[in-house]
Amino acid sequence: MSLVAAACTGETPQTAFNPRSEYATAGLDLFVLIVWMGVIIGVIVEAVLIWAAIHYRRRPGDRLPPQIHGNTVVEIAWTTGPVIVVGYILFVTLPVIFTTQAPAPSTAMNVNVIGHQFWWEFQYPDASVVTANELHLPIGKAANLILHSDDVIHSFWVPALGGKRDAFPGHTNYIWMTPNSTGEFPGQCYQLCGYSHGNMRERAIIQSQADFQAWLTAQQQPAVQSTDPAAAEGAQLLQTRGCAACHTINGTAAQGKVGPNLTHFASRGTLAGSVLDSTTANIRMWLKDPPAVKPGSIMPNLGLNDHELDVLVAYLQSLK
Ligand code: CUA
C-alpha cells in the first residue's frame, strides 16, 4: 500500500491512483483487488516452490526417483485453480464494464469532446459555449462526454476522472462520470495521432456548481472589445493576417472553425494543446513559430515581426 500511497502524492498529478469520480474509483478498486490477488497467489506459489526445492533436494546416495507421466489429481487441480481465479476476475470486472459503458443518466450534462491534431475542443451544446483544452465540469453532476474526432483517431484520458476512450472520425463514443471533488487534473491524448501526439494534453477543471455556472455565463458573453491601443491594433491585425480564417472570436468577423475558439482565450490557464502555461512569453513564443513548439501544428509560422507579436499578444490577453 505504501507504493500506492507514494503514487498519490506530489509530483505526479496525472495518475490513476488519485480517483475523483465513481468511474475512476471503480477502475482503481478493480486494479488494487487484482494486484492483491496476484501478490497472494505469487507468495503461495513461491513458498511451495522453495519448500519443495529444499525438502526434496538431492541427497548423497539418492537413487533416481520414480518416473511418472502425468498425475490426474494434479492436472485437474492446476487447471481448475486458474479457471477459478480468472473466473473471479471476470465476475468482478463485468459489472464495472456494464456500469461504465451504460448510457449516461438523462440528467447528465452533455459535452461534445472533439479531438483535433493536436488539441481538444469542448462544446457545451446546451449553453452554446465552445472552448479548448480545458474541460470545466461541475462537482456532483454527471457529465456525458460525447467523443468525436475531426481528423484521425485520438483518445481522451484524464486519469483522475476514469479510463481512456477513443475519439473517432465518423463514429461517436461516450464516457460519463460524476466528478466528486474540485481541482485541476491533467490528462493526455492516448492514441498516437501524429507528430505532436505527445503535445496533445488537456486538463479537467472541476468546480463547485456556483463557480461552474459563473464560468459558463462568462463564456457565453461575446469577446470584450479592449480600449487599450495595442490590443485594438492586435484585433485589427488578427483580421488582416489571416488568423480569422481558422479561429472564431464571438462578436467579431473571425468565424473560422479550424483552430481553437479564442473568444475567451485569456480565461484559460494554458495554450497550444495545454502544453504551455498562458504567460506573455509563452504566447509570444507560440505565435512566433507554432510548429517549433508543436511539430506538425496546422497553425503555420506567419513570419510575424516583433511589433505584430506584441500587439497580438496584447489582444489575446485582453480576451478574458
Ligand atoms: Cu491526439 Cu494523440
Side-chain angles (χ1 to χ4, degrees):
M1 285 312 282
S2 63
L3 189 73
V4 175
C8 295
T9 52
E11 296 302 299
T12 53
Q14 191 170 299
T15 172
F17 289 105
N18 188 13
R20 302 303 180 105
S21 77
E22 83 289 21
Y23 178 21
T25 302
L28 179 62
D29 287 351
L30 272 183
F31 175 78
V32 170
L33 173 70
I34 293 168
V35 164
W36 275 115
M37 286 170 63
V39 167
I40 291 166
I41 291 168
V43 166
I44 291 171
V45 168
E46 286 304 310
V48 171
L49 186 68
I50 291 167
W51 172 82
I54 294 170
H55 190 77
Y56 294 107
R57 69 189 181 281
R58 189 175 183 188
R59 294 186 173 85
D62 276 356
R63 284 177 303 183
L64 198 63
Q67 301 297 294
I68 55 165
H69 189 83
N71 178 315
T72 307
V73 173
V74 171
E75 295 284 352
I76 289 172
W78 66 39
T79 304
T80 52
V83 166
I84 290 169
V85 170
V86 174
Y88 183 70
I89 292 173
L90 187 71
F91 175 74
V92 292
T93 304
L94 275 180
V96 176
I97 293 175
F98 287 127
T99 306
T100 59
Q101 289 276 0
S106 58
T107 53
M109 180 181 73
N110 289 326
V111 184
N112 292 323
V113 174
I114 302 162
H116 299 264
Q117 287 173 312
F118 299 94
W119 57 283
W120 290 99
E121 179 171 357
F122 301 118
Q123 302 175 343
Y124 299 74
D126 299 331
S128 299
V129 163
V130 179
T131 186
N133 300 321
E134 297 178 6
L135 172 66
H136 287 248
L137 295 175
I139 187 174
K141 182 169 173 62
N144 184 31
L145 308 186
I146 303 164
L147 300 164
H148 302 274
S149 168
D150 210 31
D151 35 51
V152 299
I153 302 173
H154 304 272
S155 184
F156 182 81
W157 188 40
V158 174
L161 295 183
K164 53 188 79 83
R165 202 156 291 166
D166 283 356
F168 292 97
H171 173 81
T172 305
N173 263 354
Y174 300 87
I175 316 179
W176 73 272
M177 81 290 287
T178 309
N180 60 23
S181 63
T182 57
E184 278 195 39
F185 306 101
Q188 167 79 53
C189 176
Y190 205 79
Q191 182 66 257
L192 184 61
C193 56
Y195 284 133
S196 272
H197 158 65
N199 292 324
M200 185 167 168
R201 300 177 56 78
E202 68 265 9
R203 61 186 59 190
I205 300 175
I206 312 302
Q207 297 172 292
S208 69
Q209 305 247 0
D211 286 352
F212 175 78
Q213 268 312 323
W215 173 82
L216 203 61
T217 303
Q219 296 290 312
Q220 288 173 323
Q221 309 308 311
V224 293
Q225 299 212 351
S226 177
T227 51
D228 171 60
E233 192 185 337
Q236 282 294 321
L237 193 65
L238 187 137
Q239 304 291 343
T240 56
R241 283 306 295 254
C243 318
C246 290
H247 294 282
T248 292
I249 301 177
N250 296 345
T252 77
Q255 294 294 322
K257 302 292 183 207
V258 177
N261 184 308
L262 301 177
T263 308
H264 298 285
F265 172 85
S267 73
R268 307 202 276 264
T270 58
L271 75 150
S274 211
V275 166
L276 299 175
D277 286 332
S278 191
T279 64
T280 304
N282 283 345
I283 300 169
R284 205 170 193 286
M285 175 173 75
W286 170 252
L287 294 177
K288 193 172 167 64
D289 191 358
V293 177
K294 272 202 303 188
S297 162
I298 291 169
M299 179 162 162
N301 182 341
L302 293 169
L304 300 166
N305 65 36
D306 281 345
H307 177 71
E308 290 172 322
L309 288 169
D310 287 340
V311 296
L312 275 177
V313 171
Y315 178 50
L316 288 172
Q317 289 186 316
S318 77
L319 295 173
K320 300 278 192 226

